[in-house]
């Protein structure tokens, strides 16, 4: 089942996370990586023919903060969720990470998003409080 697309007008940078392009600004799942096609002249070797061919141009760059790509940042958060909550699947853990990052309303690379494991722990503190309140 394809991931639901969420509206996003930023799409300047992001990354593929479990097969879905995620905006690096608002953390929305936008489906496929933004791209366009352009026609470029080509010359067929040896036959002297010329023409045009389509060439793919990515319109959004893979987001990086130093050496850390955005997809690796989210994966580190997901791994932390899985380590603390063994019944989470990889997809559920990634969704938890993206939901929390979306709630913070900070773009990837922001100084407050420096430690993915710490962010996951911070989020899970609220889970513990909610669980204690419901008992």
């Amino acid at each position: 089942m394809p991931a639901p697309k969420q509206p996003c007008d930023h799409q300047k940078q992001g990354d593929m996370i479990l097969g879905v392009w995620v905006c690096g600004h608002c953390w929305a799942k936008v489906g496929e990586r933004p791209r366009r096609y352009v026609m470029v002249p080509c010359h067929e070797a040896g036959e002297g023919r010329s023409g045009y061919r389509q060439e793919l141009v990515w319109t959004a760059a893979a987001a990086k903060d130093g050496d850390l790509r955005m997809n690796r940042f989210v994966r580190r958060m997901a791994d932390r969720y899985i380590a603390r909550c063994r019944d989470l699947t990889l997809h559920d853990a990634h969704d938890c990470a993206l939901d929390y990052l979306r709630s913070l309303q900070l773009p990837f690379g922001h100084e407050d998003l420096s430690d993915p494991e710490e962010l996951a722990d911070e989020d899970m503190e609220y889970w513990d409080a909610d669980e204690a309140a419901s008992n």
Side-chain angles (χ1 to χ4, degrees), residues 3-4 6 14-30 70-71 73-75 77-78 81 90-106 108 113 119-120 123 127:
Q6 298 169 352
D15 214 336
M16 293 298 288
I17 298 176
L18 296 181
V20 178
W21 184 259
V22 176
C23 174
H25 185 76
C26 65
W27 303 95
K29 293 180 182 179
V30 293
M70 189 175 110
N71 64 354
F73 182 89
V74 174
R75 177 61 187 255
M77 283 186 71
Y81 286 118
L90 184 62
H91 288 276
D92 290 341
H94 275 85
D95 284 343
C96 289
L98 290 173
D99 288 344
Y100 184 62
L101 290 166
R102 199 174 299 116
S103 75
L104 295 175
Q105 298 181 346
L106 299 172
F108 178 68
L113 301 180
L119 287 170
D123 183 28
W127 295 5

Side-chain angles (χ1 to χ4, degrees), residues 3-17:
K5 293 182 181 179
Q6 298 169 352
C8 171
D9 296 327
H10 312 109
Q11 299 190 27
K12 298 288 186 220
Q13 67 173 356
D15 214 336
M16 293 298 288
I17 298 176

Side-chain angles (χ1 to χ4, degrees), residues 62-70 73 108-111 113-114:
K64 291 179 90 173
D65 184 17
D67 289 336
L68 183 63
R69 277 187 53 170
M70 189 175 110
F73 182 89
F108 178 68
H110 191 277
E111 63 186 23
L113 301 180
S114 60

